[in-house]
Amino acid sequence: MSTAQRVQQHPIFVQVQNKAQYYNAQLDKELTKYPVLNTLEQRTQVPKTYAVLGGLVFIVFLHSFNALAAPISNLVGWGLPAYLSFKAIETPSPHDDVQWLTYWVVFGFFNFLESFALRIVLYYVPWYFAFKSLFIVWLQLPAFRGAPVAYFNVIKPVLANVSSQTRVAAPATTNPEPHHE
């Protein structure tokens, strides 16, 4: 018996192989919900799980080149959400509209903050854009519901605080002049 055959018959190898097949089947079941991936699989004859995992590996590879890290991170934050937002606009249900509006508010808020602190962050946080991409994926995926979590725990309290300070700072008029048109 060859060494390769012995390795393939080893109980640990068999267990790892079975786990990999299980997770591949689970991922395939989850990815079947997306018609664009089903069409891609039919046209290319490449299983959608391999295409998605290959795309993720490619994105990780591109993150290793500093000059490409920022555009790739922004593409991760824009590409799929833009497509799913366009799809949400076409559906009659408001649920997906709220999901993607919340995502865009959070994504925009953090990009705005990033514009002020990027140089400092890049100096102190190696692989910042890889972490940003993971954060963006967390925001996007419905399984994690990251965008609503970030909105209700960070952005909404900040905006409520700013709004209440604005109301306190605005002078109150006791007898405003009527508006004439």
Side-chain angles (χ1 to χ4, degrees), residues 9 11 14-15 20 28 37 54 57 65 69 83-84 88 123 137 154 159 162 170 181:
Q9 292 175 354
V14 171
Q15 183 181 12
D28 185 66
L37 294 175
V57 167
F65 298 101
Y83 171 75
L84 294 174
Y123 184 78
V137 169
V154 177
L159 294 178
V162 169
E181 291 188 28

PDB file of all heavy atoms in Angstrom, residues 9 11 14-15 20 28 37 54 57 65 69 83-84 88 123 137 154 159 162 170 181:
ATOM      1  N   GLN A   9      -6.630   6.730   4.024  1.00  0.00           N
ATOM      2  CA  GLN A   9      -7.431   5.813   4.838  1.00  0.00           C
ATOM      3  C   GLN A   9      -7.289   6.085   6.345  1.00  0.00           C
ATOM      4  O   GLN A   9      -7.996   5.479   7.146  1.00  0.00           O
ATOM      5  CB  GLN A   9      -7.024   4.363   4.539  1.00  0.00           C
ATOM      6  CG  GLN A   9      -7.400   3.926   3.147  1.00  0.00           C
ATOM      7  CD  GLN A   9      -6.899   2.530   2.817  1.00  0.00           C
ATOM      8  OE1 GLN A   9      -6.167   1.918   3.590  1.00  0.00           O
ATOM      9  NE2 GLN A   9      -7.309   2.026   1.665  1.00  0.00           N
ATOM     10  N   PRO A  11      -7.909   7.537   9.898  1.00  0.00           N
ATOM     11  CA  PRO A  11      -9.177   8.027  10.471  1.00  0.00           C
ATOM     12  C   PRO A  11      -9.269   9.556  10.562  1.00  0.00           C
ATOM     13  O   PRO A  11     -10.342  10.122  10.346  1.00  0.00           O
ATOM     14  CB  PRO A  11      -9.213   7.402  11.867  1.00  0.00           C
ATOM     15  CG  PRO A  11      -8.288   6.242  11.809  1.00  0.00           C
ATOM     16  CD  PRO A  11      -7.264   6.543  10.763  1.00  0.00           C
ATOM     17  N   VAL A  14      -9.997  10.869   7.054  1.00  0.00           N
ATOM     18  CA  VAL A  14     -11.391  10.567   6.705  1.00  0.00           C
ATOM     19  C   VAL A  14     -12.344  11.500   7.442  1.00  0.00           C
ATOM     20  O   VAL A  14     -13.307  12.025   6.864  1.00  0.00           O
ATOM     21  CB  VAL A  14     -11.718   9.080   7.002  1.00  0.00           C
ATOM     22  CG1 VAL A  14     -13.201   8.799   6.857  1.00  0.00           C
ATOM     23  CG2 VAL A  14     -10.900   8.162   6.107  1.00  0.00           C
ATOM     24  N   GLN A  15     -12.064  11.770   8.725  1.00  0.00           N
ATOM     25  CA  GLN A  15     -12.916  12.672   9.511  1.00  0.00           C
ATOM     26  C   GLN A  15     -12.867  14.094   8.943  1.00  0.00           C
ATOM     27  O   GLN A  15     -13.908  14.744   8.808  1.00  0.00           O
ATOM     28  CB  GLN A  15     -12.471  12.660  10.967  1.00  0.00           C
ATOM     29  CG  GLN A  15     -13.345  13.500  11.878  1.00  0.00           C
ATOM     30  CD  GLN A  15     -12.863  13.478  13.319  1.00  0.00           C
ATOM     31  OE1 GLN A  15     -11.766  13.017  13.621  1.00  0.00           O
ATOM     32  NE2 GLN A  15     -13.707  13.979  14.212  1.00  0.00           N
ATOM     33  N   ALA A  20     -15.364  18.447   5.767  1.00  0.00           N
ATOM     34  CA  ALA A  20     -15.270  19.350   4.615  1.00  0.00           C
ATOM     35  C   ALA A  20     -16.458  19.143   3.682  1.00  0.00           C
ATOM     36  O   ALA A  20     -17.048  20.113   3.188  1.00  0.00           O
ATOM     37  CB  ALA A  20     -13.958  19.139   3.880  1.00  0.00           C
ATOM     38  N   ASP A  28     -23.350  25.123  -0.006  1.00  0.00           N
ATOM     39  CA  ASP A  28     -24.068  25.000  -1.277  1.00  0.00           C
ATOM     40  C   ASP A  28     -25.564  25.238  -1.071  1.00  0.00           C
ATOM     41  O   ASP A  28     -26.204  25.932  -1.861  1.00  0.00           O
ATOM     42  CB  ASP A  28     -23.829  23.626  -1.898  1.00  0.00           C
ATOM     43  CG  ASP A  28     -24.461  23.508  -3.266  1.00  0.00           C
ATOM     44  OD1 ASP A  28     -24.010  24.215  -4.187  1.00  0.00           O
ATOM     45  OD2 ASP A  28     -25.425  22.721  -3.410  1.00  0.00           O
ATOM     46  N   LEU A  37     -25.836  33.151  -8.511  1.00  0.00           N
ATOM     47  CA  LEU A  37     -24.837  32.102  -8.308  1.00  0.00           C
ATOM     48  C   LEU A  37     -25.244  30.800  -8.981  1.00  0.00           C
ATOM     49  O   LEU A  37     -24.393  30.071  -9.495  1.00  0.00           O
ATOM     50  CB  LEU A  37     -24.589  31.881  -6.815  1.00  0.00           C
ATOM     51  CG  LEU A  37     -23.950  33.043  -6.070  1.00  0.00           C
ATOM     52  CD1 LEU A  37     -23.859  32.751  -4.578  1.00  0.00           C
ATOM     53  CD2 LEU A  37     -22.585  33.368  -6.646  1.00  0.00           C
ATOM     54  N   GLY A  54     -13.256  30.601  -3.938  1.00  0.00           N
ATOM     55  CA  GLY A  54     -12.162  31.100  -4.771  1.00  0.00           C
ATOM     56  C   GLY A  54     -12.152  32.617  -4.821  1.00  0.00           C
ATOM     57  O   GLY A  54     -11.093  33.247  -4.762  1.00  0.00           O
ATOM     58  N   VAL A  57     -10.771  33.855  -1.521  1.00  0.00           N
ATOM     59  CA  VAL A  57      -9.312  33.694  -1.480  1.00  0.00           C
ATOM     60  C   VAL A  57      -8.644  34.769  -2.339  1.00  0.00           C
ATOM     61  O   VAL A  57      -7.627  35.354  -1.951  1.00  0.00           O
ATOM     62  CB  VAL A  57      -8.903  32.275  -1.929  1.00  0.00           C
ATOM     63  CG1 VAL A  57      -7.405  32.174  -2.208  1.00  0.00           C
ATOM     64  CG2 VAL A  57      -9.321  31.255  -0.887  1.00  0.00           C
ATOM     65  N   PHE A  65      -1.611  43.169  -1.094  1.00  0.00           N
ATOM     66  CA  PHE A  65      -0.919  44.244  -1.805  1.00  0.00           C
ATOM     67  C   PHE A  65      -1.492  45.563  -1.329  1.00  0.00           C
ATOM     68  O   PHE A  65      -2.660  45.874  -1.574  1.00  0.00           O
ATOM     69  CB  PHE A  65      -1.104  44.106  -3.325  1.00  0.00           C
ATOM     70  CG  PHE A  65      -0.530  42.834  -3.863  1.00  0.00           C
ATOM     71  CD1 PHE A  65      -1.358  41.763  -4.158  1.00  0.00           C
ATOM     72  CD2 PHE A  65       0.829  42.698  -4.055  1.00  0.00           C
ATOM     73  CE1 PHE A  65      -0.834  40.585  -4.643  1.00  0.00           C
ATOM     74  CE2 PHE A  65       1.366  41.518  -4.541  1.00  0.00           C
ATOM     75  CZ  PHE A  65       0.529  40.454  -4.835  1.00  0.00           C
ATOM     76  N   ALA A  69      -5.493  47.301  -1.462  1.00  0.00           N
ATOM     77  CA  ALA A  69      -6.311  46.980  -0.295  1.00  0.00           C
ATOM     78  C   ALA A  69      -7.515  47.908  -0.141  1.00  0.00           C
ATOM     79  O   ALA A  69      -8.628  47.445   0.097  1.00  0.00           O
ATOM     80  CB  ALA A  69      -5.457  47.013   0.973  1.00  0.00           C
ATOM     81  N   TYR A  83     -26.014  45.692  -5.676  1.00  0.00           N
ATOM     82  CA  TYR A  83     -26.853  44.752  -6.433  1.00  0.00           C
ATOM     83  C   TYR A  83     -28.103  44.380  -5.631  1.00  0.00           C
ATOM     84  O   TYR A  83     -29.224  44.420  -6.157  1.00  0.00           O
ATOM     85  CB  TYR A  83     -26.045  43.499  -6.790  1.00  0.00           C
ATOM     86  CG  TYR A  83     -26.878  42.400  -7.378  1.00  0.00           C
ATOM     87  CD1 TYR A  83     -27.337  42.477  -8.695  1.00  0.00           C
ATOM     88  CD2 TYR A  83     -27.229  41.287  -6.625  1.00  0.00           C
ATOM     89  CE1 TYR A  83     -28.121  41.470  -9.231  1.00  0.00           C
ATOM     90  CE2 TYR A  83     -28.008  40.275  -7.155  1.00  0.00           C
ATOM     91  CZ  TYR A  83     -28.451  40.369  -8.454  1.00  0.00           C
ATOM     92  OH  TYR A  83     -29.230  39.372  -8.982  1.00  0.00           O
ATOM     93  N   LEU A  84     -27.915  44.031  -4.361  1.00  0.00           N
ATOM     94  CA  LEU A  84     -29.065  43.630  -3.535  1.00  0.00           C
ATOM     95  C   LEU A  84     -29.984  44.806  -3.228  1.00  0.00           C
ATOM     96  O   LEU A  84     -31.188  44.621  -3.049  1.00  0.00           O
ATOM     97  CB  LEU A  84     -28.581  42.947  -2.260  1.00  0.00           C
ATOM     98  CG  LEU A  84     -27.878  41.602  -2.494  1.00  0.00           C
ATOM     99  CD1 LEU A  84     -27.304  41.054  -1.202  1.00  0.00           C
ATOM    100  CD2 LEU A  84     -28.821  40.595  -3.128  1.00  0.00           C
ATOM    101  N   ALA A  88     -33.852  44.992  -4.026  1.00  0.00           N
ATOM    102  CA  ALA A  88     -34.806  45.337  -2.971  1.00  0.00           C
ATOM    103  C   ALA A  88     -35.774  46.416  -3.433  1.00  0.00           C
ATOM    104  O   ALA A  88     -36.951  46.395  -3.070  1.00  0.00           O
ATOM    105  CB  ALA A  88     -34.060  45.799  -1.713  1.00  0.00           C
ATOM    106  N   TYR A 123      -1.382  53.790  10.409  1.00  0.00           N
ATOM    107  CA  TYR A 123      -0.101  53.772  11.106  1.00  0.00           C
ATOM    108  C   TYR A 123      -0.107  52.742  12.242  1.00  0.00           C
ATOM    109  O   TYR A 123       0.865  52.037  12.459  1.00  0.00           O
ATOM    110  CB  TYR A 123       0.212  55.166  11.656  1.00  0.00           C
ATOM    111  CG  TYR A 123       1.557  55.260  12.315  1.00  0.00           C
ATOM    112  CD1 TYR A 123       2.724  55.353  11.551  1.00  0.00           C
ATOM    113  CD2 TYR A 123       1.676  55.247  13.701  1.00  0.00           C
ATOM    114  CE1 TYR A 123       3.972  55.430  12.163  1.00  0.00           C
ATOM    115  CE2 TYR A 123       2.916  55.329  14.312  1.00  0.00           C
ATOM    116  CZ  TYR A 123       4.061  55.416  13.537  1.00  0.00           C
ATOM    117  OH  TYR A 123       5.288  55.491  14.134  1.00  0.00           O
ATOM    118  N   VAL A 137     -18.380  42.726   5.669  1.00  0.00           N
ATOM    119  CA  VAL A 137     -19.101  41.462   5.452  1.00  0.00           C
ATOM    120  C   VAL A 137     -20.015  41.185   6.641  1.00  0.00           C
ATOM    121  O   VAL A 137     -21.155  40.749   6.468  1.00  0.00           O
ATOM    122  CB  VAL A 137     -18.107  40.302   5.195  1.00  0.00           C
ATOM    123  CG1 VAL A 137     -18.799  38.954   5.238  1.00  0.00           C
ATOM    124  CG2 VAL A 137     -17.408  40.507   3.850  1.00  0.00           C
ATOM    125  N   VAL A 154     -24.621  52.203  17.964  1.00  0.00           N
ATOM    126  CA  VAL A 154     -23.615  53.255  17.793  1.00  0.00           C
ATOM    127  C   VAL A 154     -24.231  54.504  17.161  1.00  0.00           C
ATOM    128  O   VAL A 154     -24.225  55.580  17.758  1.00  0.00           O
ATOM    129  CB  VAL A 154     -22.427  52.750  16.929  1.00  0.00           C
ATOM    130  CG1 VAL A 154     -21.420  53.859  16.691  1.00  0.00           C
ATOM    131  CG2 VAL A 154     -21.772  51.551  17.574  1.00  0.00           C
ATOM    132  N   LEU A 159     -26.614  60.097  16.929  1.00  0.00           N
ATOM    133  CA  LEU A 159     -27.514  61.038  16.267  1.00  0.00           C
ATOM    134  C   LEU A 159     -28.573  61.572  17.225  1.00  0.00           C
ATOM    135  O   LEU A 159     -28.945  62.742  17.149  1.00  0.00           O
ATOM    136  CB  LEU A 159     -28.162  60.394  15.039  1.00  0.00           C
ATOM    137  CG  LEU A 159     -27.199  60.044  13.903  1.00  0.00           C
ATOM    138  CD1 LEU A 159     -27.940  59.362  12.773  1.00  0.00           C
ATOM    139  CD2 LEU A 159     -26.469  61.273  13.409  1.00  0.00           C
ATOM    140  N   VAL A 162     -26.835  64.243  19.312  1.00  0.00           N
ATOM    141  CA  VAL A 162     -26.636  65.461  18.520  1.00  0.00           C
ATOM    142  C   VAL A 162     -27.968  66.182  18.337  1.00  0.00           C
ATOM    143  O   VAL A 162     -28.053  67.406  18.478  1.00  0.00           O
ATOM    144  CB  VAL A 162     -25.995  65.131  17.155  1.00  0.00           C
ATOM    145  CG1 VAL A 162     -26.037  66.325  16.214  1.00  0.00           C
ATOM    146  CG2 VAL A 162     -24.574  64.647  17.345  1.00  0.00           C
ATOM    147  N   ALA A 170     -30.994  75.644  20.296  1.00  0.00           N
ATOM    148  CA  ALA A 170     -31.814  76.536  19.465  1.00  0.00           C
ATOM    149  C   ALA A 170     -32.619  77.456  20.366  1.00  0.00           C
ATOM    150  O   ALA A 170     -33.246  77.017  21.334  1.00  0.00           O
ATOM    151  CB  ALA A 170     -32.746  75.721  18.579  1.00  0.00           C
ATOM    152  N   GLU A 181     -47.370  84.069   2.750  1.00  0.00           N
ATOM    153  CA  GLU A 181     -46.983  83.656   1.392  1.00  0.00           C
ATOM    154  C   GLU A 181     -47.616  84.544   0.374  1.00  0.00           C
ATOM    155  O   GLU A 181     -48.615  85.129   0.514  1.00  0.00           O
ATOM    156  CB  GLU A 181     -47.416  82.197   1.148  1.00  0.00           C
ATOM    157  CG  GLU A 181     -46.586  81.281   1.994  1.00  0.00           C
ATOM    158  CD  GLU A 181     -46.848  79.835   1.646  1.00  0.00           C
ATOM    159  OE1 GLU A 181     -47.212  79.525   0.501  1.00  0.00           O
ATOM    160  OE2 GLU A 181     -46.650  78.999   2.511  1.00  0.00           O
TER     161      GLU A 181
END
